[in-house]
Amino acid sequence: MSRRLVSSLARLALIGLVAVGVSGCIGEDLRHGYQIDQAALATIKPGMSPEQVLQILGSPSTVSTVGNKSWYYITQNTRRTVLFLGESVEDQKVTAVYFTPAFKVERVALYGLQDGRVFDFIERTTPTSGADRAFLSQLFRGLTRYEPFGSGRSNVPGASRGM
């Protein structure tokens, strides 16, 4: 083989390898939460008991915090354009089943992305004190206020030396 042909084949193989590697980073569509079955949803009628709703739709994603009078089934479709980067919400649907005070189905409502705002159901951070300052600033702040034998001042109001 000629040197030119080997060089061309090596370049082609390298381009193919890079193309295969980059194709693994192409985005994906993700579905989160309860996937609504329209046929099952159509069978939910006013006057049904919660047990019947559980048999048809299954456990809700969340329930109302006061009185357990509303059940919510949440679906969220997101798109990630590049793998390992953040997701953007494309569609979000909330199916709400409202109950009467006697725990019978009152009505079923469907809410979409246009009916509300997008929010994070599970926030992955817990706020803690001191998180607003950097580690080094906290370290140096502690070093500059170090008093090995105390300041001699009392923190109790009205207390002074000699009393």
Side-chain angles (χ1 to χ4, degrees):
M1 285 187 162
S2 72
R3 181 171 257 174
R4 185 177 229 179
L5 181 62
V6 170
S7 174
S8 296
L9 287 175
R11 284 183 187 158
L12 187 62
L14 181 64
I15 289 171
L17 185 64
V18 168
V20 167
V22 169
S23 68
C25 295
I26 293 178
E28 60 186 333
D29 293 326
L30 302 167
R31 293 175 174 235
H32 306 282
Y34 182 83
Q35 300 302 314
I36 299 171
D37 181 14
Q38 295 297 328
L41 188 61
T43 62
I44 304 296
K45 302 291 180 201
M48 293 178 80
S49 69
E51 292 81 17
Q52 291 171 317
V53 174
L54 281 174
Q55 287 178 349
I56 295 170
L57 294 179
S59 298
S61 302
T62 188
V63 297
S64 62
T65 57
V66 179
N68 196 17
K69 302 280 180 169
S70 304
W71 292 359
Y72 303 100
Y73 296 88
I74 302 168
T75 302
Q76 193 175 57
N77 297 329
T78 59
R79 174 117 179 102
R80 187 180 298 164
T81 54
V82 178
L83 211 57
F84 306 116
L85 289 183
E87 301 172 13
S88 62
V89 176
E90 286 193 345
D91 188 28
Q92 179 173 310
K93 290 186 173 91
V94 177
T95 303
V97 179
Y98 297 104
F99 293 97
T100 64
F103 279 108
K104 298 292 181 187
V105 173
E106 180 181 339
R107 65 186 173 99
V108 176
L110 297 172
Y111 301 106
L113 197 56
Q114 70 278 2
D115 296 321
R117 63 183 178 93
V118 177
F119 63 95
D120 188 12
F121 293 103
I122 302 173
E123 190 172 317
R124 300 281 183 207
T125 59
T126 303
T128 58
S129 62
D132 53 344
R133 284 185 244 130
F135 171 73
L136 289 177
S137 69
Q138 290 179 15
L139 179 69
F140 289 122
R141 183 175 180 185
L143 289 176
T144 58
R145 293 187 180 188
Y146 179 66
E147 297 175 7
F149 301 109
S151 64
R153 288 182 283 150
S154 174
N155 290 334
V156 179
S160 63
R161 292 184 181 231
M163 285 183 103

